[in-house]
Amino acid sequence: MGLGRATTPDITWEDPFCAEGSACFRLGTDPEGNAYIAVAGAEDAYLTDSRDALRTMILDIKAGKADHLL
């Protein structure tokens, strides 16, 4: 997973995902097949990886592999 750079690629951001009392996160994609995660309002400081990596992370979270963080 990489960190955002000064030049921002052509990212299409989804609406923010927010929970009560916490930061809102945004997911985005670009035409080259990359996926992005950022805190809403700080989209220039994103994490990036492939869409497959993002898909795997989301499926793992849904399967309970991150429940120990709750």
Side-chain angles (χ1 to χ4, degrees):
M1 201 169 271
L3 294 176
R5 304 287 188 267
T7 57
T8 303
D10 185 20
I11 302 170
T12 301
W13 291 104
E14 300 290 328
D15 290 336
F17 294 94
C18 302
E20 274 188 50
S22 65
C24 297
F25 293 92
R26 296 189 77 184
L27 301 177
T29 56
D30 71 17
E32 286 78 40
N34 299 305
Y36 301 84
I37 302 172
V39 173
E43 287 82 358
D44 59 336
Y46 53 79
L47 295 174
T48 185
D49 209 326
S50 68
R51 288 184 191 188
D52 287 336
L54 178 62
R55 183 179 300 112
T56 299
M57 182 182 74
I58 291 169
L59 290 172
D60 285 350
I61 289 169
K62 290 176 75 173
K65 293 183 180 179
D67 286 356
H68 63 283
L69 300 172
L70 301 176

